[in-house]
């Protein structure tokens, strides 16, 4: 039996991870440390509220007393907690510096004190942007070149995690994953915003010319990748995790959704572009495939359809979040 300390487990990927882990590892226990920002949602975990294997602690990863107390009992830390939205980092970078850099530092110090393995969940955005129409993809050796306050803060946290491994011998692992989508994603993000807008009779909002390319990873595939890495990888490794085999731009993703939801292209609305908008991300996940045999379970199209079905069936989950998400976009004209 293992005891996991999950940070940010009330967020999108963290809550999916907790559900995934308890199903796949029924003898394990999980403590979820989350401060419940706008992105943290206890209703995502309401089904396991009474599960004896699960404990929720409302607290801040920047608080060394709270963190030290919880790490004492843990075998492994899975660190998801972060400010995660690029558009919000443009409106106000400070929280990103505080949580993503200082919060990670506090966890690293506590992990060092107690000799606990820390798995750091990071992003492909640390590598900056690739050229549109190029064949190039990010690999584990691509130099860091972040463009937004969000990606710069994540890059900084990655460097700290590696430095604690090199300098202090802290057992760590890192995943840099691409854009996740799936159940329990806040309706401020691209896929979840489009689906919920369409359900509401509103349009999908496409930034700029829509020819921006993201690498889409279904959240459950991401959780399975972290599981494999924790079970089988050497300490100190970094793995990229991604989903796409060929480029699909934002406009094409919107059209795939409209097609599945049987709606017309008149529901596409072009809006103000994001400043410093990265043109293209593409992830080469062959290291993870070669070393550990990981690959996505289904195609992007199938997972996208499953995601639409989930949002249609779970309006009670996303409805309370929708108004606040759209009010943020009023400030950016998007
Ligand atoms: P999210 O914004 O949905 O959730 C973040 C969670 O962290 C929330 O529950 C929030 O309450 C919590 N949190 C924030 N500050 C905290 C603090 N000081 N102390 C404790 N908890 C705090 O994020 P997500 O989409 O689930 O992303 C999880 C991780 O994966 C992040 O580190 C993010 O950078 C990374 N990531 C996400 C994506 C994606 O597509 N969502 C892609 C690549 C990497
Ligand atoms: P997002 O989900 O915010 O993730 P990230 O910025 O971390 O990649 O955005 C994904 C892509 O979709 C990005 O190119 C911005 C674009 N986008 C839109 O065109 N319309 C929208 O309403 C949103 C939220 C994003």
């Amino acid at each position: 039996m293992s005891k996991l300390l999950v940070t940010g487990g009330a967020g999108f990927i963290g809550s999916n991870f907790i559900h995934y882990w308890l199903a796949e590892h029924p003898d394990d226990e999980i403590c979820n440390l989350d401060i419940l920002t706008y992105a943290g949602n206890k209703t995502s975990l309401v089904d396991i509220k009474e599960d004896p294997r699960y404990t929720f602690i409302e607290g801040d990863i920047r608080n060394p007393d709270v963190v030290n107390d919880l790490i004492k009992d843990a075998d492994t830390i899975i660190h998801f907690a972060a400010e995660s939205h690029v558009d919000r980092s443009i409106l106000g970078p400070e929280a990103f510096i505080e949580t993503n850099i200082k919060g990670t530092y506090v966890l690293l110090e506590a992990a060092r004190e107690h000799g606990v393995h820390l798995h750091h969940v990071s992003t492909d955005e640390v590598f900056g942007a690739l050229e549109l129409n190029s064949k190039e993809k990010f690999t584990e050796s691509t130099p860091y070149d972040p463009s937004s306050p969000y990606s710069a803060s994540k890059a900084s946290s990655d460097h700290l995690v590696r430095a604690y491994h090199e300098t202090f011998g802290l057992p760590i692992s890192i995943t840099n994953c691409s854009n996740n989508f799936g159940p329990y994603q806040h309706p401020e993000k691209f896929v979840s915003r489009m689906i919920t807008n369409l359900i509401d009779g509103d349009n999908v909002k496409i930034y700029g010319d829509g020819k921006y390319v993201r690498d889409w990873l279904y959240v459950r595939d991401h959780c399975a990748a972290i599981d494999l890495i924790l079970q089988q990888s050497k300490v100190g490794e970094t793995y990229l995790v991604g989903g796409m085999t060929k480029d699909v731009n934002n406009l094409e993703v919107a059209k795939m959704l409209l097609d599945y939801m049987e709606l017309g292209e008149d529901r596409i609305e072009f809006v103000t572009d994001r400043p410093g908008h990265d043109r293209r991300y593409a992830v080469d996940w062959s290291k993870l495939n070669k070393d550990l045999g990981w690959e996505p379970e289904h195609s992007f199209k199938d997972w996208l359809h499953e995601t639409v079905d989930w949002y249609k069936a779970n309006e009670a989950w996303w409805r309370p979040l929708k108004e606040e998400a759209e009010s943020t976009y009023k400030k950016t004209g998007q």
Side-chain angles (χ1 to χ4, degrees):
M1 185 195 74
S2 297
K3 289 187 173 180
L4 270 55
L5 174 62
V6 170
T7 71
F12 162 47
I13 307 175
S15 58
N16 277 281
F17 179 82
I18 292 172
H19 282 125
Y20 168 94
W21 195 273
L22 290 177
E24 297 293 320
H25 303 275
D27 295 332
D28 287 359
E29 290 178 7
I30 294 184
C31 174
N32 173 15
L33 171 63
D34 196 303
I35 200 172
L36 298 179
T37 65
Y38 79 96
N41 196 338
K42 276 172 94 174
T43 52
S44 307
L45 296 156
V46 74
D47 54 320
I48 54 164
K49 204 168 74 153
E50 308 296 338
D51 191 318
R53 300 169 300 164
Y54 173 70
T55 317
F56 176 74
I57 305 288
E58 185 171 342
D60 192 338
I61 58 164
R62 292 167 302 172
N63 183 333
D65 295 335
V66 173
V67 167
N68 270 296
D69 197 38
L70 298 176
I71 283 187
K72 279 202 309 268
D73 299 325
D75 303 313
T76 309
I77 306 157
I78 325 289
H79 177 31
F80 294 99
E83 289 293 335
S84 71
H85 192 38
V86 175
D87 292 322
R88 288 187 195 250
S89 83
I90 296 167
L91 288 171
E94 190 177 354
F96 290 73
I97 311 302
E98 276 292 316
T99 295
N100 300 359
I101 305 177
K102 188 172 174 211
T104 302
Y105 158 72
V106 170
L107 282 175
L108 285 166
E109 276 295 304
R112 176 157 86 102
E113 167 93 20
H114 299 281
V116 177
H117 182 114
L118 183 136
H119 179 82
H120 180 56
V121 180
S122 191
T123 169
D124 61 353
E125 301 193 27
V126 297
F127 303 120
L130 297 167
E131 294 288 323
L132 201 58
N133 301 323
S134 82
K135 293 261 179 285
E136 203 191 344
K137 293 191 170 199
F138 300 132
T139 71
E140 284 77 5
S141 50
T142 302
Y144 277 37
D145 187 20
S147 342
S148 70
Y150 163 66
S151 52
S153 67
K154 291 298 288 188
S156 178
S157 65
D158 292 12
H159 291 317
L160 278 172
V161 173
R162 266 189 210 104
Y164 270 64
H165 178 62
E166 296 298 330
T167 309
F168 305 116
L170 182 74
I172 61 110
S173 41
I174 300 179
T175 38
N176 293 89
C177 65
S178 59
N179 287 63
N180 285 224
F181 67 103
Y184 301 113
Q185 184 164 35
H186 195 282
E188 69 182 358
K189 298 280 168 79
F190 184 49
V191 169
S192 44
R193 186 183 186 205
M194 281 196 294
I195 298 170
T196 51
N197 276 10
L198 290 172
I199 293 173
D200 272 353
D202 196 356
N203 294 333
V204 299
K205 313 287 167 127
I206 297 292
Y207 294 2
D209 59 11
K211 291 181 188 150
Y212 291 92
V213 173
R214 296 295 181 262
D215 180 311
W216 294 102
L217 168 66
Y218 189 64
V219 64
R220 189 185 155 80
D221 286 332
H222 182 196
C223 295
I226 297 175
D227 187 359
L228 268 180
I229 291 163
L230 290 174
Q231 307 292 329
Q232 294 180 27
S233 147
K234 287 203 308 270
V235 165
E237 288 290 332
T238 292
Y239 284 101
L240 300 199
V241 193
M244 308 299 283
T245 46
K246 67 176 182 57
D247 282 7
V248 178
N249 69 34
N250 293 342
L251 205 48
E252 290 165 328
V253 177
K255 288 179 183 170
M256 287 170 78
L257 279 179
L258 288 166
D259 186 45
Y260 183 61
M261 294 174 81
E262 298 180 331
L263 295 165
E265 290 185 16
D266 56 320
R267 302 288 290 275
I268 295 175
E269 181 181 333
F270 290 91
V271 297
T272 316
D273 208 349
R274 170 188 284 171
H277 197 170
D278 285 339
R279 197 38 103 170
R280 173 174 173 262
Y281 304 145
V283 166
D284 174 353
W285 40 267
S286 56
K287 178 182 171 192
L288 185 56
N289 180 260
K290 274 199 210 101
D291 285 6
L292 307 178
W294 178 89
E295 61 181 6
E297 206 183 318
H298 296 297
S299 70
F300 174 55
K301 192 175 168 191
D302 288 350
W303 281 138
L304 200 60
H305 293 178
E306 186 140 326
T307 304
V308 171
D309 295 346
W310 189 88
Y311 281 88
K312 280 187 173 166
N314 289 279
E315 183 172 339
W317 180 85
W318 57 264
R319 176 63 60 203
L321 312 173
K322 186 69 184 158
E323 201 179 316
E324 195 273 339
E326 289 305 312
S327 72
T328 303
Y329 285 116
K330 289 216 173 71
K331 294 183 203 145
T332 58
Q334 291 160 327

